Amino acid sequence: MGDFTVALNPPKTFRADILLSTTNNRTSPAARGFQTVLAFKPPRAFRGIRASVMPREGQQASLGDALVNTPRRSDFVEAIRRTAALSNCLSETSLHATVPGLESKTRGKVRDIYDAGDYLVLVTTDRQSAFDRILASIPFKGQVLNQTSLWWFERTKHIVSNAVVLAPDNNVTIARKCSVFPVEFVARGFVTGSTDTSLWTVYNKGVRNYCGNVIPDGMVKNQKLPKNILTPTTKAADHDVPITPDEIIDRGLMTRADYVEVSEKALSLFEYGQQVALEHGLILVDTKYEFGKANDGSIMLIDEVHTPDSSRYWIANSYLERFQNGLEPENIDKEFLRLWFISHCNPYEDEVLPDAPEDLVCELAWRYIFLYETITKSKFEVPSTEEPIHDRITRNVASALSSLK
């Protein structure tokens, strides 16, 4: 598996001697209208990167080595094989058939959502999605995502309230119902990505005005933007479609006031997430947020927060050197899985996709857990296999719903 891991960080993609601007000053959308202009003037020579995207003094200097070489990684991979986790992933649920009081099921890319009257029961499965389709099932992924989100939900209440009521199971969150805005707020700090809607993909095609943001010429892949931006998307059929703030308002997807409030909260969440990530040796590169409106009119954060599914994370202390040398950043999210599929098929058009190799699946499972442990400073507990996971979830959800009556 070690040889396979080396190939997970792709080879050189460019050479660039460009300073990374780390300025994150922002102006309210209400004050500047709905167009963001990023002023950028590349210097003549690369002089370095500000300390705001580098690890603090005394911080662990070998996070990248720990990702690959720590004994914890070997123990975890062994646990996957010992528990037959690869063949026992939580890929589907049917709680509406096993838990009294659940009225219907909505199957999302990763979450199964059940209507429980005043509440929603959100079960985070092990399904792995990218390119608007399911690519594989990753052991323990659902538990990692659910517990990571809960950690962030608790620590972002000072920015925005959230819909969480309780978490009766490692894979489950019970949330208050709200009116969900049909817009995803994608926050970005770098020009990067490999999907059709990623900033680097569209920028490399010559687009310089993206979702109301004017991006300057002369930028290269994986370069820091002069300041954080939002590139909202909305749903069309089964894929995400970029949309401008003005289009959001004109189509009646949100009122102007709601858009202004939500966009400001999204940027505040992103800046806070970047700060916390950096304190743990990571760069929060981009992420997406979803919001809803409660009955009292207040804005609520929903779905997930800063998970390796919804976010891109790079290792901070190797970023600058790799950028200078034209190497892809060391990542601990699902980007390398995307890159593997891109190199082996056309994930947007091929009807049948190749199976992800077992080593790749194990590596992604480990990276998700590594991110959880790095951010939360908590040890991930591999769940017991004595009780089938669906039976365990059924029991815990039924008990929780009874307590809420």
Side-chain angles (χ1 to χ4, degrees):
M1 187 166 171
D3 291 339
F4 185 85
T5 305
V6 174
L8 296 181
N9 287 313
K12 293 184 178 182
T13 56
F14 61 86
R15 290 287 303 179
D17 293 327
I18 295 179
L19 178 69
L20 278 81
S21 169
T22 59
T23 303
N24 281 328
N25 295 331
R26 56 189 173 86
T27 306
S28 165
R32 58 174 163 77
F34 287 123
Q35 177 170 278
T36 300
V37 179
L38 303 182
F40 179 74
K41 184 177 181 180
R44 288 176 294 180
F46 191 99
R47 294 189 178 93
I49 184 171
R50 291 185 185 178
S52 63
V53 293
M54 297 299 288
R56 295 181 175 179
E57 184 177 355
Q59 184 176 302
Q60 180 182 359
S62 58
L63 195 59
D65 291 338
L67 174 63
V68 176
N69 298 322
T70 177
R72 175 82 171 129
R73 178 176 179 272
S74 300
D75 293 343
F76 172 71
V77 173
E78 174 59 29
I80 289 181
R81 297 197 167 103
R82 185 179 67 251
T83 61
L86 287 168
S87 59
N88 289 296
C89 290
L90 182 66
S91 299
E92 297 291 341
T93 67
S94 54
L95 296 188
H96 55 310
T98 60
V99 177
L102 294 185
E103 301 170 7
S104 64
K105 171 185 175 180
T106 301
R107 186 180 189 273
K109 292 177 183 176
V110 175
R111 288 167 183 79
D112 290 342
I113 304 171
Y114 295 89
D115 190 324
D118 293 333
Y119 307 101
L120 293 176
V121 176
L122 295 89
V123 183
T124 309
T125 72
D126 297 329
R127 297 191 295 264
Q128 183 65 59
S129 72
F131 309 108
D132 299 314
R133 60 197 301 178
I134 304 301
L135 301 180
S137 290
I138 309 299
F140 314 126
K141 178 197 161 185
Q143 179 177 336
V144 170
L145 295 189
N146 195 55
Q147 293 183 328
T148 300
S149 280
L150 290 169
W151 190 89
W152 282 107
F153 275 128
E154 182 63 27
R155 284 157 181 81
T156 54
K157 289 180 179 178
H158 65 289
I159 299 173
V160 59
S161 62
N162 60 68
V164 176
V165 176
L166 55 87
D169 186 274
N170 287 336
N171 288 69
V172 179
T173 295
I174 295 179
R176 288 183 291 273
K177 283 185 175 179
C178 64
S179 177
V180 178
F181 295 117
V183 176
E184 290 187 353
F185 285 76
V186 182
R188 303 183 186 274
F190 291 75
V191 182
T192 192
S194 59
T195 65
D196 283 355
T197 57
S198 73
L199 188 53
W200 171 246
T201 299
V202 298
Y203 186 88
N204 197 37
K205 293 178 179 178
V207 175
R208 295 295 180 268
N209 190 321
Y210 191 51
C211 300
N213 303 285
V214 178
I215 316 289
D217 289 325
M219 301 196 75
V220 294
K221 189 180 183 187
N222 301 326
Q223 185 176 343
K224 182 76 171 67
L225 288 163
K227 65 178 179 179
N228 295 331
I229 64 172
L230 294 176
T231 60
T233 64
T234 190
K235 294 289 183 183
D238 59 352
H239 62 281
D240 298 331
V241 178
I243 189 171
T244 68
D246 286 335
E247 289 172 332
I248 291 172
I249 308 305
D250 292 344
R251 296 182 189 180
L253 301 179
M254 299 178 71
T255 66
R256 183 174 296 272
D258 284 343
Y259 178 83
V260 169
E261 181 178 356
V262 170
S263 63
E264 291 179 343
K265 291 184 183 300
L267 285 170
S268 294
L269 285 166
F270 188 46
E271 291 174 9
Y272 176 72
Q274 288 178 313
Q275 173 190 333
V276 173
L278 193 60
E279 290 171 355
H280 296 81
L282 301 171
I283 298 173
L284 177 59
V285 178
D286 50 45
T287 192
K288 65 95 176 171
Y289 305 107
E290 295 187 47
F291 297 88
K293 203 168 189 178
N295 291 335
D296 64 1
S298 61
I299 301 298
M300 292 198 302
L301 180 63
I302 64 171
D303 195 47
E304 60 183 323
V305 194
H306 300 160
T307 72
D309 242 26
S310 65
S311 313
R312 198 185 316 269
Y313 284 92
W314 294 339
I315 292 177
N317 59 16
S318 64
Y319 165 73
L320 177 58
E321 181 179 358
R322 296 182 71 87
F323 180 83
Q324 284 183 274
N325 291 316
L327 299 173
E328 287 290 321
E330 292 181 289
N331 66 77
I332 48 175
D333 49 56
K334 65 182 180 181
E335 179 65 11
F336 77 93
L337 181 71
R338 293 190 189 103
L339 295 174
W340 185 89
F341 274 93
I342 287 173
S343 67
H344 287 79
C345 63
N346 184 331
Y348 285 107
E349 297 181 5
D350 291 354
E351 184 175 345
V352 179
L353 301 184
D355 292 333
E358 180 177 311
D359 280 354
L360 185 106
V361 170
C362 289
E363 178 65 25
L364 184 57
W366 160 242
R367 288 183 178 220
Y368 273 36
I369 287 176
F370 181 84
L371 178 64
Y372 168 78
E373 294 185 339
T374 300
I375 288 288
T376 68
K377 299 302 181 185
S378 302
K379 183 177 180 181
F380 179 82
E381 298 296 334
V382 176
S384 169
T385 58
E386 294 181 3
E387 182 181 20
I389 185 170
H390 197 280
D391 292 351
R392 185 199 76 206
I393 290 174
T394 293
R395 174 173 53 80
N396 289 335
V397 169
S399 175
L401 291 178
S402 296
S403 71
L404 291 173
K405 291 181 179 177

